Amino acid sequence: MNTLTSATLPSKLPNVGTTIFTVMSKLAAEVGAINLSQGFPGFDCSPELVSLVEHYLRRGFNQYAPMTGVPTLREALAQKTSDLYNVAYHPDTEVTITSGATEAIFAAVTAVIRPGDEVLVFEPAYDSYVPAIELNGGIPVYVTLTPPDYSIDWKTVREKITDKTRLILINTPHNPTGRVWTVDDLVQLANIVRDRDIWIVSDEVYEHILFDNRTHHSLMTHPVLQERTFIVGSFGKTFHITGWKIGYCLAPAELTREFRKIHQYLTFSTVTPIQYALADYLAQPAHYQELPTFYQRKRNLFLDGLRNSRFEFKPAEGSFFQTVSYAAITDEPDYDLAIRLTKEINVASIPVSVFYNQKNDYKILRFCFAKDDATLQKAAERLSRL
Ligand code: PMP
Ligand code: GLN
């Protein structure tokens, strides 16, 4: 029986297919390739963290957590934020635990955007931003950043701001380019948004992964930015637990109130025993302080392996991604090359064109170096043969 009058469900996201991360990880598994495509650690999280989760699981912490997150975790995050950035967020009214950064980004965009509002997006952009904008009837307005520096031309940003601009999406350290915002970037942005009703979502999931003695300049550290910004974080990146899907949002009380109205109907709350475990685990700063050294060694190992290849690169400033130019090797489209390299030399990567709305192809591939040393060396050897 067919009582529907239209043959198909009209898509709310007609331009969206399966994400590149799913496509490349699936292909890598099928052909047995080294998977440097999707961003996730190839090694396990700390046994201590697993024991803590087990402890809370066995002690019966298995029912709904409070909608806003368990108090001890909100308090631990507020403490860490104040220690690191000297900014006070009240754990009861300004900190919310979410089911990953993805949920926090969606909830924050939904809290702000109404149909017809414009949202400034720097591209290449992480893939969940634009669907979140479009599902809320927002209009993405793109500021295009290009290799090798991906630096921001603030004159262009100014030109793209209109009376309809309601939100700007920021990501630092940046996926996929590895670029890190400077203090000057913060000042430039503050000068643009000051005295305007423009809010900001700042995706800072790689806040602890910076190299060559760089500092993370969170948007919360500039008062003009702090008062209008939803800071989004993820424990997935920091503690090697991307599969646990747990993140958070820090925002002034007025913003958090609206954020929580969305969050409570998206997921209501997130996984209880993990929240208790993370609260305990966060008490030792070494658990996140060691990350720059840990990942810088891996970045260097991978890049040392590529030194004699024909790839060209600038070492990533932060995140666990390295972009490389293959312009000296071939002029194939980056998507085709990523597929070919997965099948032929068994190394999977992400073509950076997928992060541009017009699929700009600058002949750049992204590699995730959150892998064990032997895997990185083997991948670099194979890539060096090209
Ligand atoms: N933002 C960026 C920039 C990311 O790279 C990722 C995932 N790797 C996310 C958000 C999503 O984080 P989560 O898995 O916590 O939802
Ligand atoms: N953030 C990860 C990346 O950029 C992937 C997350 C996902 O698969 N959605 O590779």
Side-chain angles (χ1 to χ4, degrees), residues 305-360:
L306 289 186
R307 293 257 179 240
N308 296 323
S309 75
R310 292 193 287 158
F311 289 104
E312 286 160 341
F313 50 81
K314 280 186 63 181
E317 297 174 354
S319 83
F320 48 44
F321 300 111
Q322 177 66 49
T323 53
V324 304
S325 163
Y326 62 84
I329 301 175
T330 167
D331 62 2
E332 275 171 272
D334 64 353
Y335 193 93
D336 297 355
L337 182 67
I339 301 276
R340 185 165 74 79
L341 293 187
T342 309
K343 291 180 177 165
E344 288 181 6
I345 64 163
N346 287 168
V347 180
S349 59
I350 298 288
V352 170
S353 63
V354 301
F355 299 103
Y356 288 96
N357 85 98
Q358 296 295 329
K359 307 295 166 239
N360 302 14

Side-chain angles (χ1 to χ4, degrees), residues 6-155:
S6 62
T8 53
L9 176 66
S11 178
K12 293 186 77 174
L13 294 171
N15 302 321
V16 165
T18 308
T19 78
I20 188 70
F21 308 119
T22 307
V23 171
M24 293 308 296
S25 280
K26 184 164 172 283
L27 179 64
E30 277 165 12
V31 302
I34 297 176
N35 188 2
L36 306 190
S37 64
Q38 195 178 21
F40 63 90
F43 36 82
D44 208 356
C45 64
S46 135
E48 185 189 337
L49 184 52
V50 174
S51 300
L52 284 168
V53 175
E54 190 191 354
H55 169 82
Y56 285 107
L57 274 169
R58 291 194 186 283
R59 281 185 52 202
F61 288 78
N62 295 312
Q63 308 311 326
Y64 290 128
M67 181 272 279
T68 56
V70 308
T72 49
L73 182 54
R74 283 186 277 109
E75 283 156 17
L77 264 176
Q79 186 62 50
K80 166 178 169 270
T81 305
S82 140
D83 292 348
L84 283 179
Y85 307 113
N86 202 21
V87 180
Y89 284 93
H90 197 289
D92 292 342
T93 52
E94 302 188 313
V95 181
T96 311
I97 309 301
T98 61
S99 298
T102 310
E103 193 223 340
I105 291 162
F106 197 91
V109 171
T110 303
V112 176
I113 291 306
R114 290 176 169 74
D117 287 348
E118 292 179 3
V119 184
L120 224 64
V121 179
F122 294 91
E123 60 172 5
Y126 184 61
D127 73 337
S128 81
Y129 301 164
V130 170
I133 295 164
E134 290 182 339
L135 286 171
N136 284 293
I139 300 162
V141 174
Y142 295 96
V143 175
T144 302
L145 309 180
T146 55
D149 291 329
Y150 300 99
S151 54
I152 297 168
D153 175 3
W154 288 102
K155 191 168 155 282

Side-chain angles (χ1 to χ4, degrees), residues 73 97-102 205 233-237 239 241-248 270-276 278:
L73 182 54
I97 309 301
T98 61
S99 298
T102 310
V205 301
S234 172
F235 295 104
K237 316 293 162 180
F239 296 137
I241 49 169
T242 60
W244 293 7
K245 291 301 296 187
I246 181 158
Y248 55 89
T270 198
V271 56
T272 306
I274 290 178
Q275 293 194 53
Y276 282 101
L278 284 169

Side-chain angles (χ1 to χ4, degrees), residues 198-350:
I198 296 179
W199 284 266
I200 297 171
V201 171
S202 185
D203 177 346
E204 304 185 6
V205 301
Y206 300 102
E207 69 176 313
H208 297 299
I209 312 182
L210 285 91
F211 309 126
D212 308 311
N213 296 318
R214 283 189 179 80
T215 305
H216 173 56
H217 299 294
S218 172
L219 265 66
M220 73 175 80
T221 59
H222 193 299
V224 170
L225 301 177
Q226 193 273 343
E227 64 178 359
R228 64 187 71 230
T229 298
F230 299 83
I231 305 276
V232 172
S234 172
F235 295 104
K237 316 293 162 180
T238 302
F239 296 137
H240 318 316
I241 49 169
T242 60
W244 293 7
K245 291 301 296 187
I246 181 158
Y248 55 89
C249 174
L250 312 174
E254 298 250 310
L255 275 60
T256 293
R257 194 174 317 124
E258 293 308 309
F259 177 91
R260 288 177 175 176
K261 289 182 188 172
I262 315 291
H263 162 72
Q264 72 177 346
Y265 295 122
L266 264 182
T267 57
F268 181 70
S269 64
T270 198
V271 56
T272 306
I274 290 178
Q275 293 194 53
Y276 282 101
L278 284 169
D280 292 353
Y281 198 68
L282 268 180
Q284 288 180 55
H287 290 144
Y288 48 84
Q289 284 167 346
E290 67 202 15
L291 282 183
T293 311
F294 176 79
Y295 274 123
Q296 183 164 329
R297 209 187 56 74
K298 291 198 177 288
R299 180 203 66 175
N300 290 352
L301 188 79
F302 182 57
L303 291 185
D304 286 346
L306 289 186
R307 293 257 179 240
N308 296 323
S309 75
R310 292 193 287 158
F311 289 104
E312 286 160 341
F313 50 81
K314 280 186 63 181
E317 297 174 354
S319 83
F320 48 44
F321 300 111
Q322 177 66 49
T323 53
V324 304
S325 163
Y326 62 84
I329 301 175
T330 167
D331 62 2
E332 275 171 272
D334 64 353
Y335 193 93
D336 297 355
L337 182 67
I339 301 276
R340 185 165 74 79
L341 293 187
T342 309
K343 291 180 177 165
E344 288 181 6
I345 64 163
N346 287 168
V347 180
S349 59
I350 298 288

